[in-house]
Amino acid sequence: MPDTRTLGLTLTSCGLVGVIATAYLGFSWAPLVDPEAWNAPEAYRILFWHVPFAWASFLAFCLLFIGAVSWYRKRTEWGWRLVVTGSELGLLFGLGVVISGPIWGSAEWGVPWDWGDLRLNTYGLLTAVALFLVLSRRTQPDGDDTRDTLAAVGLFGFALVPITALATTWYQNRHPGIVLVESEDTGLDPQIRMVLMLGFVSFLVLFVGLVTLSGTIQALEEELEGRQRMLDEGAIA
Amino acid sequence: MGQDALVAATAIEVNRGSRRVLQGASMELGEGEVVAVLGENGSGKTTLIEACAGILPLRSGRVTWRTESGAERVVRDSDGRRTPPPSMGLTLQKDGMCGEETVKERLATALSVAGRDPCGGDISSLLDAWGLEHRSDDRVSQLSGGLRRRLSLLCGLAPAALSVDSRAVLLDEPSEGLDDGAKALLRGWLRGLASNGHGVLVATHDKDVIACADRLISIRGGVLDETTGESTGEPVVLPNACPPVEPSQIGSLIRWAFRMEMRNPIDTVGRATPAVVAMLLAYALIGNLDMGLHGSGLLAALVLAPAFITAVTSPALVRRLAEADCGRWWNAVVGPMARPANSIAAASLVLPIPLTYLSWFVLAGSFDSDASSEVLRWLWLPALSMLDLAVAAAALHLLVADLRRASAATASLLLVALVWPFLELTDALATIMNEGMTFGLGMGDPITTCLIASITSALIWLVAIFIPDA
Amino acid sequence: MTGMVEAVVAYTLLSSLLATYVVRQIVLLNGLTSKLGESSSRGPEADSD
């Protein structure tokens, strides 16, 4: 246990350092974009965290999906741990996306939310599902039946992704609004690209660190639960 | 599964909470016998009964029932397969009854679900035998605990008692809360059912009930151990069998839900109130605005919002099913179709259309009168599509209701998905308002847009219904 | 400087989110470690399964 704890803390710390460095460089070193082409040229700097947040949340939702499928089919313990980790990190990074995206959208295009934008709406939906899972895990007694229901909700969230794709396509057909282009690589200044890459790497390291920490915490919680049950039995006897 | 076996559990493993309660448990319930399940508190008696009823998911093994035609039917297995069991009698530990039913209704429902068609006299004599006739028109909630238990027990025993064919009866702690007279009656009925060829599986720690069992199954450490019982007790003469009819599980469920709502319209009031408040609020806020300046989209959204609110409000049926394990009883007797049936029974199907029209009258005062009459002629179309959205919302509420502390769960987070069908319907209404009704099927035409909203709602419904029980 | 306010607000919110979560995890981790230490001194040693 000390190994994963130390590893988790180390990776998280390194990740945080990189993340802070990304923000610093984003403001102080990355050049300004063309004020003629952008409505809010300074606001573009949100991109240096917004895009890595989006990728981190994508990874988290992948963990959630894999875990939900694994628990749903075979009730594997590792599957459940992935559900817990995926939902917590999905909530953290998903919230970051749906907070920073509308702020940027509002500043640049005057549109905080576009019901026809597939990615934004998918992230919003999955974040809502992740919030449900995190809150429910805290309020419901742990057990197979609770886990079955929560895994089903997790899968429900993912089944909504293609439904959302259809719905947003149909909606956009009649409301061709602004498409929020968040990660256009072509034509990016090399300095901007470098800061973005630093952001990607830092968030990846941070993500792995947080996954490790989450796994460690879950293992400790299980061990504590086991010890407390033994103490309960001793108290009754 | 043995030839005479009515129910068989084969190597089942069941977890409750984080504990493994049953492991490698195998047992059979045969014709003409009473089998008592014994064990300490928390040993797994209720778990065995509920697993045999098909309510609980299995980690491994399967539960098989013998159908009316003599074939074997796997009611539940560890691959997630689930089929409705044949007609059975079932009494759960917490009664499984909604407080708003009357005594007579409850018994009639239990018999209808099991495919029995008694005449009024049969029901009265059954109630009379159990000292409930004088309360036949009273609601279950008005009964004392002891009388409620008698009724719950009678509803579990009667389907078999009125059946010519051998039936399985599952009883969980039947004698709890009964007085001595009722306990004696219970023992007589148990022996009576066994002598008529039915099989009774009863979880109990009552010594007298145990004494009248033919076999005893003890649960210790999740493992079953069988011994012979004393088979004491005189059988009572049971009522004559009545003609069998096609069991009407889903129909009974929907009729039951409708009856409960007619008797106590908390669902209707609970949905209509916030919707009307929203309507009046919108009226107060847009009172002096010229809606023509703001685009028809805003007015369309405000007109449809009250119906949307009624559609997404938590259904009263969810609370009714949560009462005294009522939902578990219906889940057991109806089988895997309980969820889809509940989602339709729970949905707001009556309010959306009239509320939408009321909303139009209240909010569309400044709208052009010629266009308004056109809108009035076709307003029912998006409102009708709102019914699909209502059914999808009910399915989502039922999904959350599976959680043990459902009251502590935020169902509204899952309802976010219904925004898109609502936006589609708003678009459809806005198109009708701007351009009048058209009958084309191109993108942007009202009929197509309403269809898209309905399809989106239907897909959400499908996912919410089938994933949990797959 | 158009958009600078929005950028600062966004970064402030995201930083708060990250910081709150990381601090929470570390506090939880330390809390569990000390509770495990307490429970092993209170009762018999846990057998490994």
Side-chain angles (χ1 to χ4, degrees):
Chain A
M1 212 59 62
D3 294 331
T4 54
R5 189 194 154 156
T6 312
L7 179 66
L9 287 171
T10 308
L11 286 173
T12 303
S13 309
C14 292
L16 282 176
V17 167
V19 160
I20 293 167
T22 305
Y24 176 73
L25 291 173
F27 275 96
S28 65
W29 188 65
L32 194 60
V33 291
D34 181 6
E36 302 297 317
W38 295 72
N39 292 325
E42 292 288 353
Y44 99 93
R45 299 181 195 279
I46 295 175
L47 176 152
F48 295 120
W49 269 23
H50 173 80
V51 177
F53 255 87
W55 273 105
S57 65
F58 174 76
L59 290 174
F61 291 135
C62 284
L63 289 186
L64 172 57
F65 179 65
I66 293 167
V69 169
S70 176
W71 175 266
Y72 191 76
R73 290 186 65 235
K74 295 241 164 29
R75 292 216 181 90
T76 57
E77 203 54 41
W78 66 261
W80 180 249
R81 287 199 189 181
L82 282 186
V83 169
V84 172
T85 303
S87 57
E88 285 193 358
L89 294 181
L91 176 60
L92 169 71
F93 291 110
L95 269 181
V97 172
V98 300
I99 287 171
S100 56
I103 291 176
W104 186 17
S106 197
E108 181 57 37
W109 295 285
V111 174
W113 196 272
D114 179 5
W115 289 109
D117 186 283
L118 169 63
R119 276 175 301 182
L120 192 60
N121 286 284
T122 305
Y123 276 116
L125 198 71
L126 288 175
T127 304
V129 170
L131 178 58
F132 178 86
L133 293 174
V134 168
L135 290 176
S136 294
R137 200 186 147 246
R138 299 217 180 142
T139 57
Q140 306 298 322
D142 191 22
D144 272 11
D145 38 5
T146 300
R147 292 182 181 190
D148 286 349
T149 304
L150 296 186
V153 169
L155 288 176
F156 165 77
F158 286 98
L160 284 181
V161 172
I163 297 174
T164 310
L166 286 171
T168 51
T169 306
W170 283 322
Y171 187 82
Q172 211 174 38
N173 232 294
R174 291 182 324 285
H175 300 267
I178 293 137
V179 174
L180 296 177
V181 175
E182 287 138 3
S183 57
E184 271 297 335
D185 274 344
T186 57
L188 272 182
D189 187 286
Q191 280 174 290
I192 293 177
R193 204 197 299 261
M194 270 176 65
V195 179
L196 206 50
M197 283 313 301
L198 175 64
F200 273 119
V201 172
S202 306
F203 271 85
L204 183 62
V205 170
L206 176 64
F207 182 81
V208 174
L210 292 176
V211 168
T212 312
L213 277 184
S214 176
T216 308
I217 287 170
Q218 286 183 71
L220 288 176
E221 280 172 345
E222 258 176 56
E223 195 183 330
L224 185 65
E225 174 68 25
R227 297 249 185 113
Q228 284 178 332
R229 238 181 275 138
M230 283 179 61
L231 288 174
D232 289 344
E233 283 163 18
I236 291 168
Chain B
M1 190 170 168
Q3 218 172 350
D4 289 340
L6 294 167
V7 183
T10 310
I12 62 172
E13 186 180 311
V14 185
N15 284 16
R16 298 302 284 271
S18 50
R19 283 190 312 130
R20 181 154 308 158
V21 176
L22 294 176
Q23 48 187 3
S26 297
M27 55 127 299
E28 285 189 358
L29 174 68
E31 291 178 12
E33 64 172 355
V34 177
V35 178
V37 181
L38 325 174
E40 290 171 0
N41 287 344
S43 59
K45 302 191 296 295
T46 297
T47 302
L48 183 61
I49 296 282
E50 292 186 353
C52 288
I55 299 174
L56 300 178
L58 304 178
R59 280 263 191 166
S60 67
R62 66 178 194 273
V63 170
T64 322
W65 282 60
R66 197 180 77 194
T67 65
E68 285 90 345
S69 58
E72 273 183 32
R73 182 189 294 171
V74 176
V75 161
R76 196 116 195 192
D77 67 16
S78 53
D79 291 331
R81 184 164 37 145
R82 188 164 178 214
T83 50
S87 309
M88 66 164 126
L90 176 65
T91 299
L92 296 173
Q93 194 168 14
K94 286 194 200 164
D95 296 337
M97 304 186 296
C98 174
E100 286 156 11
E101 306 177 80
T102 65
V103 169
K104 201 179 343 184
E105 273 171 359
R106 176 61 192 170
L107 183 56
T109 299
L111 291 170
S112 156
V113 156
R116 299 284 149 245
D117 182 26
C119 62
D122 288 334
I123 290 191
S124 291
S125 62
L126 280 169
L127 291 173
D128 190 43
W130 281 82
L132 292 165
E133 166 64 11
H134 63 295
R135 297 287 228 153
S136 54
D137 293 323
D138 287 345
R139 297 190 197 185
V140 168
S141 59
Q142 293 173 285
L143 302 180
S144 66
L147 289 186
R148 219 178 0 244
R149 196 61 183 150
R150 286 191 193 200
L151 175 61
S152 163
L153 207 40
L154 178 58
C155 292
L157 299 168
L162 299 186
S163 169
V164 170
D165 302 319
S166 297
R167 287 271 165 269
V169 179
L170 307 178
L171 308 173
D172 192 356
E173 303 288 358
S175 60
E176 223 168 77
L178 294 182
D179 56 31
D180 292 339
K183 284 185 187 178
L185 191 59
L186 168 63
R187 293 194 296 273
W189 272 62
L190 290 180
R191 293 311 316 165
L193 286 172
S195 67
N196 282 9
H198 304 292
V200 184
L201 185 67
V202 49
T204 183
H205 50 247
D206 184 311
K207 292 188 181 56
D208 295 324
V209 173
I210 292 170
C212 73
D214 302 299
R215 274 193 298 135
L216 307 176
I217 295 179
S218 306
I219 307 182
R220 206 169 287 118
V223 175
L224 307 188
D225 180 40
E226 280 193 30
T227 50
T228 315
E230 295 172 27
S231 308
T232 60
E234 282 302 310
V236 300
V237 175
L238 296 177
N240 292 330
C242 62
V245 292
E246 192 59 37
S248 161
Q249 288 112 346
I250 295 174
S252 297
L253 171 59
I254 292 181
R255 280 192 298 276
W256 170 82
F258 181 68
R259 241 187 354 257
M260 294 305 100
E261 181 56 23
M262 289 298 287
R263 183 162 299 145
N264 184 10
I266 51 173
D267 189 75
T268 310
V269 172
R271 290 182 192 271
T273 305
V276 169
V277 166
M279 192 190 307
L280 295 176
L281 201 61
Y283 176 72
L285 291 171
I286 68 166
N288 292 327
L289 290 178
D290 181 358
M291 293 308 295
L293 295 174
H294 294 271
S296 48
L298 174 60
L299 182 57
L302 289 173
V303 165
L304 288 175
F308 181 69
I309 290 171
T310 65
V312 300
T313 303
S314 177
L317 183 64
V318 168
R319 291 190 287 286
R320 288 187 173 118
L321 291 175
E323 201 183 329
D325 274 351
C326 180
R328 290 176 85 79
W329 187 86
W330 279 109
N331 190 6
V333 299
V334 175
M337 290 308 291
R339 192 185 294 273
N342 277 330
S343 70
I344 294 169
S348 175
L349 299 178
V350 171
L351 288 175
I353 296 179
L355 266 178
T356 304
Y357 273 91
L358 179 63
S359 209
W360 178 264
F361 284 122
V362 168
L363 297 174
S366 61
F367 204 69
D368 175 63
S369 57
D370 288 334
S372 182
S373 58
E374 174 79 352
V375 170
L376 280 174
R377 209 173 304 137
W378 294 103
L379 192 55
W380 60 269
L381 183 60
L384 186 68
S385 207
M386 192 71 76
L387 303 186
D388 295 323
L389 196 155
V391 174
L396 291 173
H397 282 290
L398 286 167
L399 177 59
V400 173
D402 282 348
L403 295 170
R404 248 192 277 166
R405 294 193 63 230
S407 55
T410 38
S412 49
L413 286 168
L414 301 186
L415 295 167
V416 164
L418 295 172
V419 166
W420 284 285
F422 176 70
L423 290 174
E424 295 288 332
L425 295 178
T426 306
D427 265 359
L429 181 56
T431 306
I432 296 174
M433 287 162 61
N434 289 336
E435 299 160 24
M437 184 63 189
T438 54
F439 298 96
L441 291 175
M443 291 299 288
D445 286 318
I447 293 178
T448 312
T449 313
C450 288
L451 265 175
I452 289 171
S454 290
I455 291 170
T456 311
S457 302
L459 288 171
I460 293 171
W461 175 83
L462 270 171
V463 164
I465 288 296
F466 287 108
I467 286 184
D469 292 334
Chain C
M1 293 292 272
T2 318
M4 182 55 90
V5 171
E6 286 88 346
V8 169
V9 166
Y11 273 89
T12 307
L13 290 172
L14 296 186
S15 304
S16 311
L17 204 56
L18 269 178
T20 306
Y21 182 74
V22 171
V23 166
R24 175 199 172 262
Q25 292 293 82
I26 293 172
V27 166
L28 197 54
L29 191 59
N30 290 336
L32 283 168
T33 311
S34 63
K35 264 195 207 163
L36 273 168
E38 273 176 34
S39 73
S40 45
S41 63
R42 204 186 310 157
E45 281 303 312
D47 293 325
S48 57
D49 287 309

